[in-house]
Amino acid sequence: MRYTFLLYTDPANLAHLTADDWDKEKQLYGAYIQDLNEAGVFVDTDRLHATHTATTLSLLGGTERIQDGPFADTKETLGGYFVVDVPDLDAAMEWARKCPAARRGKVEIRASMMG
Amino acid sequence: MSGSAARQGRNSRVDDGVTNATAHAAEAAARACYGRLVAILASRGRDIAAAEDALSDAFAKALTTWPANGVPAIPEAWLLTTARNRLTDVQRRDARLVPETDIPDMANLDPADFPDERLKLMFVCAHPAIDRAMHTPLMLQTVLGVQASDIARAFALPPAAMAQRLVRAKSKIKDSGITFSIPDSTDLPVRLSAVTEAIYGAYALDWLQGGDALAGEALYLASLLTQLHPNDPEPFGLAALIAFSQSRSSARILNGVLVPTHLQDPQNWDHQLIDYATKMLGHAQSIRQIGRFQIEAAIQSVHAHRANTSETDWQAIAQLTTALHRLYPTLGSAVAQAAAIGRAQNAKTGLALLGQMSAKQIKNFQPFHATQAHLLAMDDQPQAAHVAYQCALELCGDAPSRSYLAQQIANLAKI
């Protein structure tokens, strides 16, 4: 079953990170991706630019509306995601625990409707 | 159709009544095996609601075919086969579902496997990804077959709200891929503790209502857990606690009035259950790892000991409730400690402990007001006691407890 981990952090909590800290963070993610690959459960991942760069588009109600910014202004913002393929929620939770984002913020685990 | 709605449908068909005997056989089978069958039917597809719907269809079919063909030799096996066929039909029609491996036939199943399936269902209901507040309601409905409307009443929620939460929890189990399995040894201690909490919740709901059915089931489920992990003392503690309390079910209510444990006639206690509870508690304590249920069971064992000594050892109860409150503080443990110390030392000390509790938290907590009333009466403050008893009475829902409180108020007037 495929699960998507939505990685949420409060940008204010990351503001104090130095270049060195970011290097370490990247290494942590690199090691995590390697672990996922070695376990044969890695599907996809991405890291997203900050929400102020977002463009939100909607055709709801028949007319196109384009909004400069995220669809909702929240304190914690979506910063990236992982997609993993594991047997069940327990296994997904086990991988979410190991995700570096869990220590910096929150990981929302969502099962795929496509199986 | 939700599982609960389907089950209500089942009961209304019973009311329309084919023959009473058949309805009786089906109802008896329903009560005895509901949780086991749901566990078996749901374990592969993870779909509890679909399993419940299929099972309710099987019950309905039983009521139309059993009067004509006779009650099958093994009603449970008949119900499983019928429900399984129904479930397979539904799955075939639903293209989204990957065909499931066959649900095992009752004939191929060792009866010893059933407890195993129910255990798995219990671990699903008390899964950490499920809202903690829903653990006990889910277990009541799926493992013990309690109607959603009764669960709603027990949790003081509107029936529609409780039904909706149960439906949502079941769809979360299915869609998020919570697996029907016994957790492995690393997760087992934490997961086991959630299951014991949920069983305790089911048990605690029942005993004040004076019904034995749920308490008996809760005791059975607790004893199943003891077999699962013999080195964990808490399931033994829980089994002991439930058995001690259950041993007093015939003594608890006299002429419709609740009788506090220390005033019950020990001759009306079930001494076989007390022996069982003592054995369970002894085993738990031999593991030498303290836990909440063990302490609670130890408190009950002091009460049970009155059958031999004819006096309640309030000093021992005060020590145990103090330990309970220090290690596992709840509103209930704070009140129990104050009540025991009030009796072991003096009413004023108990009242002082109650006085330390937060006014906001205790406002609607009935045991606080009943205990305060009792200690005030002991302390020769009948007017204040009267106010506190009234407050307790207003917060009290069940008839035997209400009669007890009314009796206490009447006794105050005589002083």
Side-chain angles (χ1 to χ4, degrees):
Chain A
M1 194 168 200
R2 274 190 295 126
Y3 290 87
T4 299
F5 297 168
L6 303 166
L7 317 180
Y8 288 94
T9 44
D10 179 350
N13 289 344
L14 306 176
H16 68 279
L17 295 189
T18 64
D20 262 8
D21 291 336
W22 279 113
D23 276 347
K24 277 181 204 144
E25 197 75 3
K26 270 182 209 158
Q27 280 168 20
L28 285 176
Y29 275 94
Y32 180 59
I33 292 167
Q34 197 183 339
D35 288 347
L36 290 169
N37 266 315
E38 278 169 13
V41 300
F42 180 82
V43 178
D44 192 15
T45 185
D46 208 349
R47 186 179 164 203
L48 308 174
H49 276 295
T51 51
H52 71 266
T53 69
T55 306
T56 306
L57 184 147
S58 170
L59 291 171
L60 192 70
T63 43
E64 176 173 302
R65 269 169 303 157
I66 293 173
Q67 183 186 317
D68 177 9
F71 92 97
D73 247 332
T74 50
K75 203 160 160 277
E76 282 162 320
T77 60
L78 182 69
Y81 68 86
F82 276 93
V83 181
V84 298
D85 197 347
V86 292
D88 57 33
L89 182 62
D90 285 322
M93 285 167 71
E94 201 48 49
W95 279 110
R97 272 183 202 107
K98 293 176 185 153
C99 182
R103 264 171 251 160
R104 294 261 177 226
K106 289 169 184 164
V107 177
E108 182 176 316
I109 306 167
R110 301 275 289 268
S112 165
M113 270 183 91
M114 317 289 281
Chain B
M1 181 162 60
S2 79
S4 52
R7 290 179 48 234
Q8 274 155 14
R10 178 190 97 214
N11 282 345
S12 67
R13 278 176 207 130
V14 172
D15 293 339
D16 296 338
V18 210
T19 68
N20 270 342
T22 314
H24 241 72
E27 282 300 291
R31 271 196 304 275
C33 66
Y34 187 84
R36 274 179 293 181
L37 293 180
V38 168
I40 295 170
L41 290 163
S43 63
R44 269 136 195 98
R46 295 166 176 161
D47 192 340
I48 296 172
E52 288 178 322
D53 281 348
L55 192 54
S56 79
D57 282 344
F59 279 119
K61 209 168 165 190
L63 290 174
T64 53
T65 58
W66 291 4
N69 307 339
V71 177
I74 311 170
E76 215 172 313
W78 187 95
L79 287 165
L80 179 64
T81 307
T82 310
R84 189 195 51 205
N85 292 343
R86 168 98 190 120
L87 200 57
T88 315
D89 284 350
V90 172
Q91 283 171 348
R92 261 189 219 121
R93 260 181 276 141
D94 193 339
R96 282 180 312 154
L97 288 175
V98 189
E100 300 292 346
T101 14
D102 274 342
I103 295 154
D105 231 322
M106 189 68 83
N108 302 333
L109 269 183
D110 190 317
D113 287 344
F114 299 150
D116 202 35
E117 293 298 319
R118 279 225 285 191
L119 275 173
K120 287 179 191 167
L121 187 53
M122 279 163 27
F123 278 105
V124 167
C125 294
H127 194 278
I130 299 290
D131 181 5
R132 213 179 168 77
M134 288 309 291
H135 289 182
T136 296
L138 265 177
M139 199 174 289
L140 285 169
Q141 191 184 38
T142 64
V143 184
L144 298 176
V146 179
Q147 299 279 347
S149 53
D150 291 334
I151 300 171
R153 192 164 348 105
F155 283 84
L157 271 177
M162 178 54 87
Q164 195 188 18
R165 286 180 202 187
L166 286 163
V167 167
R168 202 181 298 152
K170 282 184 254 181
S171 83
K172 161 113 192 223
I173 289 166
K174 178 170 73 117
D175 296 335
S176 74
I178 292 178
T179 210
F180 280 59
S181 65
I182 309 281
D184 61 25
S185 51
T186 38
D187 287 343
L188 192 59
V190 176
R191 299 284 308 277
L192 205 50
S193 125
V195 173
T196 50
E197 291 287 339
I199 295 176
Y200 179 73
Y203 160 76
L205 277 181
D206 186 55
W207 76 266
L208 255 185
Q209 290 161 16
D212 286 349
L214 273 189
E217 285 288 328
L219 181 55
Y220 172 70
L221 294 178
S223 72
L224 278 185
L225 287 181
T226 64
Q227 295 161 24
L228 186 67
H229 193 25
N231 294 325
D232 185 338
E234 280 300 89
F236 290 91
L238 178 64
L241 173 61
I242 298 175
F244 273 127
S245 305
Q246 185 68 348
S247 74
R248 302 181 195 129
S249 62
S250 311
R252 191 170 289 134
I253 293 164
L254 196 64
N255 303 322
V257 184
L258 183 82
V259 187
T261 308
H262 68 281
L263 299 176
Q264 289 167 11
D265 182 353
Q267 287 195 337
N268 295 332
W269 290 346
D270 181 335
H271 293 276
Q272 226 176 334
L273 268 174
I274 292 177
D275 289 346
Y276 171 82
T278 307
K279 215 174 83 190
M280 290 287 118
L281 180 60
H283 181 89
Q285 288 172 336
S286 74
I287 298 169
R288 306 217 156 272
Q289 182 190 321
I290 198 81
R292 177 186 153 196
F293 295 125
Q294 281 171 79
I295 304 177
E296 288 200 37
I299 294 168
Q300 298 311 318
S301 99
V302 175
H303 279 297
H305 204 57
R306 182 165 61 86
N308 308 326
T309 61
S310 71
E311 237 176 283
T312 302
D313 185 349
W314 288 110
Q315 292 294 348
I317 292 180
Q319 279 169 12
L320 287 164
T321 51
T322 301
L324 182 70
H325 185 58
R326 206 182 58 221
L327 294 170
Y328 309 98
T330 61
L331 279 186
S333 70
V335 169
Q337 184 194 16
I341 288 179
R343 286 191 170 94
Q345 297 176 20
N346 54 67
K348 279 194 167 42
T349 316
L351 286 167
L353 281 173
L354 288 180
Q356 290 168 14
M357 295 179 71
S358 125
K360 200 176 140 205
Q361 280 190 310
I362 53 86
K363 192 167 171 271
N364 292 319
F365 192 57
Q366 189 261 346
F368 174 91
H369 299 285
T371 301
Q372 189 184 43
H374 179 81
L375 293 176
L376 285 167
M378 272 173 71
D379 197 40
D380 285 329
Q381 302 185 53
Q383 275 171 331
H386 192 278
V387 174
Y389 271 131
Q390 276 298 345
C391 194
L393 192 58
E394 275 160 33
L395 291 167
C396 183
D398 76 293
S401 299
R402 288 185 64 86
S403 305
Y404 168 74
L405 291 169
Q407 212 174 55
Q408 297 304 108
I409 293 173
N411 288 346
L412 281 178
K414 286 181 207 152
I415 297 172

